[in-house]
Amino acid sequence: MTEPLDNGADAAAEELPAVAPRLRDLRRRAGLTLETAARRVGLSPAHLSRLETGRRQPSLPMLLSLARTYATTVSDLLGETAPELQPVFRGSDAEPSEAGGWTYWPMGGPGRAMQALRVFVPPHDGQAGLVRVHPGEEWLYVLKGRLRLTLGETQQLLDPGDAAHFDSLTPHRIADAAGSGTEILFVHTLMQSGATELCLGGGTRRGL
């Protein structure tokens, strides 16, 4: 089984200290064994165990897969909670987080049926070769740089002002094509039902 890359144990405690215990709690709350959860996310049980103990750091795509599997949001995985669902989210309140070399800012509160993020996709991204398939829909809008979007066997280059809206069951991957990083707005739905069992998690590395 091919597994997504991560940054190793040293960065885990410094960058995402709240993830490890919450991953374990959310898995147990969902009534999933380590083996069952790992299979749904597309990891080995040993790799998921390392994430739960803080010995490995999940990348942003891996956080998205874990959030879908546990029917929650990335914000909830990171322990970012709000007292109530607010309709307005101030940009000044968005605290950046980094995972797997990607930097993202939440642009909406937790507990919603879809999640909005502002994301910086770095150049020479180690996750760029990962193809992902999962239930739901995704929408993205390029703010800066140039994005390479692969949908099935089709590859598109998106410039600032370009957008894409697609079914997440279509094998897909995104990567920087500018050589200096790309900034996007990214919205995805979270499947809150048994359909999450269809999620293939972190994806399969492929060559074009």
Side-chain angles (χ1 to χ4, degrees):
M1 178 183 296
T2 300
E3 297 179 354
L5 300 176
D6 55 53
N7 286 349
D10 294 339
E14 296 181 5
E15 296 183 14
L16 296 173
V19 171
R22 287 199 57 75
L23 286 180
R24 185 185 299 108
D25 291 343
L26 287 170
R27 174 176 60 77
R28 291 174 175 173
R29 192 182 307 169
L32 299 175
T33 64
L34 187 69
E35 291 74 16
T36 300
R39 183 174 65 253
R40 293 185 182 183
V41 180
L43 302 174
S44 68
H47 192 96
L48 182 56
S49 177
R50 288 192 289 270
L51 294 177
E52 291 187 354
T53 56
R55 294 168 55 198
R56 293 290 182 184
Q57 177 190 358
S59 65
L60 176 57
M62 197 183 299
L63 286 173
L64 293 173
S65 296
L66 288 164
R68 292 187 184 99
T69 298
Y70 299 150
T72 186
T73 66
V74 171
S75 295
D76 189 35
L77 285 180
L78 297 175
E80 301 169 351
T81 57
E84 58 182 296
L85 298 179
Q86 297 288 349
V88 176
F89 194 83
R90 304 293 181 185
S92 58
D93 295 333
E95 294 292 335
S97 298
E98 184 174 329
W102 295 31
T103 304
Y104 73 98
W105 297 258
M107 300 307 295
R112 300 288 190 177
M114 60 184 182
Q115 190 168 17
L117 302 167
R118 180 162 61 94
V119 181
F120 177 74
V121 182
H124 314 299
D125 176 24
Q127 303 293 321
L130 295 176
V131 177
R132 297 175 181 86
V133 180
H134 54 82
E137 294 183 37
E138 296 184 22
W139 176 90
L140 59 85
Y141 177 89
V142 180
L143 295 170
K144 298 178 182 178
R146 170 173 271 198
L147 190 76
R148 179 177 291 107
L149 172 66
T150 303
L151 295 174
E153 301 300 322
T154 302
Q155 187 175 111
Q156 303 279 354
L157 293 177
L158 281 67
D159 293 310
D162 292 341
H165 187 176
F166 53 92
D167 189 323
S168 302
L169 284 174
T170 302
H172 58 280
R173 67 186 183 189
I174 62 176
D176 168 64
S180 57
T182 302
E183 188 172 336
I184 64 173
L185 290 178
F186 177 76
V187 178
H188 66 95
T189 59
L190 296 170
M191 303 302 290
Q192 303 279 349
S193 68
T196 54
E197 296 180 4
L198 299 175
C199 182
L200 301 183
T204 302
R205 188 173 296 277
R206 294 181 183 174
L208 286 180

mmCIF file of all heavy atoms in Angstrom, residues 72-73 75-76 85 109-114 192:
data_model
loop_
_atom_site.group_PDB
_atom_site.id
_atom_site.type_symbol
_atom_site.label_atom_id
_atom_site.label_comp_id
_atom_site.label_asym_id
_atom_site.label_seq_id
_atom_site.Cartn_x
_atom_site.Cartn_y
_atom_site.Cartn_z
ATOM 1 N N THR A 72 -16.350 14.827 10.183
ATOM 2 C CA THR A 72 -16.122 16.089 10.878
ATOM 3 C C THR A 72 -15.363 17.021 9.950
ATOM 4 O O THR A 72 -15.352 16.816 8.737
ATOM 5 C CB THR A 72 -15.356 15.851 12.195
ATOM 6 O OG1 THR A 72 -15.277 17.083 12.915
ATOM 7 C CG2 THR A 72 -13.963 15.305 11.948
ATOM 8 N N THR A 73 -14.758 18.068 10.481
ATOM 9 C CA THR A 73 -14.035 19.043 9.675
ATOM 10 C C THR A 73 -12.572 19.091 10.093
ATOM 11 O O THR A 73 -12.207 18.651 11.189
ATOM 12 C CB THR A 73 -14.637 20.451 9.847
ATOM 13 O OG1 THR A 73 -14.432 20.886 11.193
ATOM 14 C CG2 THR A 73 -16.125 20.451 9.524
ATOM 15 N N SER A 75 -11.060 21.773 10.873
ATOM 16 C CA SER A 75 -11.034 22.667 12.034
ATOM 17 C C SER A 75 -11.284 21.902 13.322
ATOM 18 O O SER A 75 -10.636 22.148 14.344
ATOM 19 C CB SER A 75 -12.077 23.779 11.867
ATOM 20 O OG SER A 75 -11.771 24.618 10.785
ATOM 21 N N ASP A 76 -12.218 20.944 13.269
ATOM 22 C CA ASP A 76 -12.500 20.146 14.460
ATOM 23 C C ASP A 76 -11.329 19.241 14.797
ATOM 24 O O ASP A 76 -10.985 19.052 15.975
ATOM 25 C CB ASP A 76 -13.763 19.317 14.238
ATOM 26 C CG ASP A 76 -14.238 18.631 15.515
ATOM 27 O OD1 ASP A 76 -14.090 19.241 16.595
ATOM 28 O OD2 ASP A 76 -14.742 17.503 15.431
ATOM 29 N N LEU A 85 -22.427 29.015 15.522
ATOM 30 C CA LEU A 85 -22.228 29.108 14.088
ATOM 31 C C LEU A 85 -22.470 30.541 13.636
ATOM 32 O O LEU A 85 -23.601 31.012 13.586
ATOM 33 C CB LEU A 85 -23.176 28.148 13.355
ATOM 34 C CG LEU A 85 -22.994 26.659 13.666
ATOM 35 C CD1 LEU A 85 -24.003 25.827 12.892
ATOM 36 C CD2 LEU A 85 -21.575 26.220 13.328
ATOM 37 N N GLY A 109 -16.482 28.652 9.834
ATOM 38 C CA GLY A 109 -16.482 27.992 11.130
ATOM 39 C C GLY A 109 -16.693 26.498 11.024
ATOM 40 O O GLY A 109 -17.080 25.986 9.976
ATOM 41 N N PRO A 110 -16.440 25.766 12.115
ATOM 42 C CA PRO A 110 -16.658 24.318 12.130
ATOM 43 C C PRO A 110 -18.139 23.986 12.219
ATOM 44 O O PRO A 110 -18.976 24.851 12.469
ATOM 45 C CB PRO A 110 -15.915 23.879 13.397
ATOM 46 C CG PRO A 110 -16.009 25.075 14.293
ATOM 47 C CD PRO A 110 -15.913 26.275 13.390
ATOM 48 N N GLY A 111 -18.459 22.717 12.018
ATOM 49 C CA GLY A 111 -19.828 22.258 12.171
ATOM 50 C C GLY A 111 -20.710 22.515 10.969
ATOM 51 O O GLY A 111 -21.931 22.410 11.061
ATOM 52 N N ARG A 112 -20.145 22.861 9.839
ATOM 53 C CA ARG A 112 -20.926 23.111 8.638
ATOM 54 C C ARG A 112 -20.892 21.900 7.704
ATOM 55 O O ARG A 112 -20.057 21.014 7.846
ATOM 56 C CB ARG A 112 -20.360 24.322 7.882
ATOM 57 C CG ARG A 112 -20.358 25.613 8.681
ATOM 58 C CD ARG A 112 -21.753 26.165 8.847
ATOM 59 N NE ARG A 112 -21.727 27.520 9.411
ATOM 60 C CZ ARG A 112 -22.812 28.263 9.608
ATOM 61 N NH1 ARG A 112 -23.991 27.781 9.281
ATOM 62 N NH2 ARG A 112 -22.719 29.474 10.131
ATOM 63 N N ALA A 113 -21.810 21.889 6.733
ATOM 64 C CA ALA A 113 -21.863 20.789 5.770
ATOM 65 C C ALA A 113 -20.775 20.903 4.715
ATOM 66 O O ALA A 113 -20.516 19.956 3.979
ATOM 67 C CB ALA A 113 -23.234 20.749 5.097
ATOM 68 N N MET A 114 -20.151 22.071 4.603
ATOM 69 C CA MET A 114 -19.015 22.219 3.709
ATOM 70 C C MET A 114 -17.989 23.095 4.398
ATOM 71 O O MET A 114 -18.302 23.820 5.344
ATOM 72 C CB MET A 114 -19.434 22.809 2.360
ATOM 73 C CG MET A 114 -20.061 24.162 2.429
ATOM 74 S SD MET A 114 -20.606 24.688 0.771
ATOM 75 C CE MET A 114 -21.252 26.318 1.152
ATOM 76 N N GLN A 192 -21.585 13.302 5.487
ATOM 77 C CA GLN A 192 -21.920 13.020 6.879
ATOM 78 C C GLN A 192 -22.718 11.719 7.015
ATOM 79 O O GLN A 192 -23.517 11.576 7.917
ATOM 80 C CB GLN A 192 -22.750 14.189 7.447
ATOM 81 C CG GLN A 192 -22.075 15.533 7.350
ATOM 82 C CD GLN A 192 -21.073 15.765 8.473
ATOM 83 O OE1 GLN A 192 -21.016 15.006 9.434
ATOM 84 N NE2 GLN A 192 -20.292 16.810 8.343
#
